Amino acid sequence: MAAKTIFKRIIDKEIAAQIVYEDEHCLAFRDINPQAPIHVLVIPRKEIPSLAHATEDDTVLLGQLLAAVRVIADQMKLANGYRVIINCGPDGGQTVDHLHVHLLGGRRLDWPPG
Ligand code: 5GP
């Protein structure tokens, strides 16, 4: 059996994370290496390695992830805006093979990213 990802271990409460939101489908916690004053990762409880692995059956779940981002952004008072990022695969800079959405805010973010 393949080894659990670090995010699956967070879902299973085997390792600690600063959880800021959870519901039936999603879990959100602070990134261990924040790139902005607010840097939260929103993940599905379902194990999907990357956005490229999501199927038509996951369409509703993808919407639920974004809906969770909006709720968390409200909770974090990011009224001045924020950025939402999904890194996908090696060229996208993905380092953890469990689909995750980055929510970054609390400072003015540069564009384009590197
Ligand atoms: P990626 O580069 O795959 O899009 O993003 C993975 C993110 O997970 C990185 O921003 C990294 O800092 C974060 N990360 C990696 N390991 C851990 C961990 O054990 N706990 C938390 N909270 N974040 C982690």
Side-chain angles (χ1 to χ4, degrees):
M1 210 166 84
K4 278 187 186 185
T5 67
I6 198 92
F7 291 174
K8 176 61 176 160
R9 295 186 67 200
I10 288 173
I11 290 169
D12 291 346
K13 305 278 194 295
E14 290 174 8
I15 59 169
Q18 262 189 279
I19 293 171
V20 297
Y21 172 91
E22 53 185 320
D23 65 27
E24 199 185 336
H25 310 286
C26 318
L27 182 66
F29 49 89
R30 291 190 190 268
D31 196 293
I32 206 166
N33 182 24
Q35 302 302 310
I38 303 290
H39 188 171
V40 170
L41 301 170
V42 187
I43 69 172
R45 291 187 188 277
K46 178 178 176 184
E47 286 184 278
I48 303 172
S50 77
L51 186 60
H53 293 82
T55 69
E56 223 172 284
D57 288 347
D58 299 316
T59 303
V60 170
L61 180 58
L62 294 177
Q64 285 163 334
L65 286 171
L66 282 185
V69 167
R70 185 181 45 72
V71 169
I72 297 159
D74 283 352
Q75 188 181 306
M76 303 269 166
K77 304 193 186 321
L78 295 175
N80 209 39
Y82 51 89
R83 186 168 293 163
V84 178
I85 297 169
I86 298 177
N87 295 326
C88 182
D91 277 5
Q94 183 177 1
T95 59
V96 179
D97 292 334
H98 183 117
L99 173 63
H100 51 283
V101 181
H102 295 256
L103 165 62
L104 292 146
R107 69 169 171 86
R108 185 62 60 96
L109 296 159
D110 295 333
W111 190 263

